[in-house]
Every structure is written in C-alpha cells, then in structure tokens.
Amino acid sequence: MVFAYLFAQLMLWVCDRPGGLLVLGSSNVDESLRGYFTKYDNSSADVNPIGGISKADLRKFLVFMMKNSGLSALERILNACPTAELEPLQDGRILQTDEADMGLTYDELSMFGRLRKEPYCGDRKSVV
C-alpha cells in the first residue's frame, strides 16, 4: 500500500497535474471480522468498494456479471487463489493462501458474518 500511495502521487507529478488521487483497496468484510489484515495492507486504502461485502456474496456477483456481461476476464478472477502475497512464489506457484493462514475458509467466515447479526446468534454468541 505504501507503493500504491507513492505511485498515486507520482502519477500526478509525472503528468504535471495538481490535486491528489485516491487509492482503492480490496479488503472484504470477512477478513475484517477475522482480523486478517496488517497495518499497511489493502485495508488502509482511501476507498474500499468491497469493504462491506462478504467474499461469498462477491463471488456470486462476479458469477452473475460473467454470465450476463460476457466479460471472460472475470473467470480468471473467480479461479484465482486468494492470497495476501506475503511470501514469495516458489517455482511460479503460490505457497501462502489466505484460507490456510486464517484457518477457515471464506465460506466459513461468511457464515460467522451472517450469524453475528442479532436475530440469529448475536454478537456475544459468535465470537471466533
């Protein structure tokens, strides 16, 4: 994220334009509820369009958009393994995944998010 902010400022300087740019984040509500973030990761952005959406709901939306818009690039996003990219690739393969680090799948995290609402279990009964 530090580099994202640096590039946001450099773009204006290179183009000789005044003002400032916003940095978009990609953290979701499941990660926030679990506490799976670091100080300078994607949760520290200026705007986080999917910050209040669970990963399961986001996947459903991407499938809907892929079927109805014909954007084939969405398939690669859906099939990508969620990773914070904290560890380097080994032989071109991802070793570290979000779900392995958290010890829960995103579907399980999404269930905690739904159950924490008062009509279901409440905030005290769904503490992880």
Side-chain angles (χ1 to χ4, degrees):
M1 286 308 288
V2 174
F3 284 115
Y5 280 100
L6 174 68
F7 290 137
Q9 298 309 313
L10 284 177
M11 286 299 297
L12 293 171
W13 180 68
V14 168
C15 297
D16 196 26
R17 296 181 65 183
L21 297 176
L22 296 176
V23 175
L24 296 178
S26 61
S27 183
N28 59 63
V29 72
D30 296 329
E31 294 167 351
S32 298
L33 287 173
R34 178 66 172 91
Y36 184 69
F37 51 85
T38 59
K39 186 174 181 179
Y40 294 111
D41 72 349
N42 56 10
S43 63
S44 62
D46 295 319
V47 179
N48 193 354
I50 62 169
I53 303 172
S54 74
K55 191 80 144 190
D57 290 340
L58 184 60
R59 284 182 184 148
K60 290 176 190 174
F61 174 72
L62 290 174
V63 168
F64 171 81
M65 288 303 295
M66 188 174 66
K67 290 179 181 176
N68 293 300
S69 70
L71 295 173
S72 60
L74 294 177
E75 187 173 0
R76 288 187 63 204
I77 295 171
L78 281 166
N79 294 331
C81 183
T83 178
E85 298 175 353
L86 298 174
E87 297 178 17
L89 299 176
Q90 187 174 51
D91 298 325
R93 293 186 347 198
I94 296 173
L95 297 178
Q96 177 260 339
T97 65
D98 292 351
E99 291 178 339
D101 284 353
M102 292 185 286
L104 294 167
T105 66
Y106 276 105
D107 290 333
E108 293 168 337
L109 284 172
S110 185
M111 180 61 71
F112 278 111
R114 284 192 298 276
L115 291 177
R116 72 181 248 286
K117 295 185 172 120
E118 211 45 57
Y120 300 108
C121 288
D123 56 348
R124 292 181 187 86
K125 297 176 185 167
S126 62
V127 175
V128 180

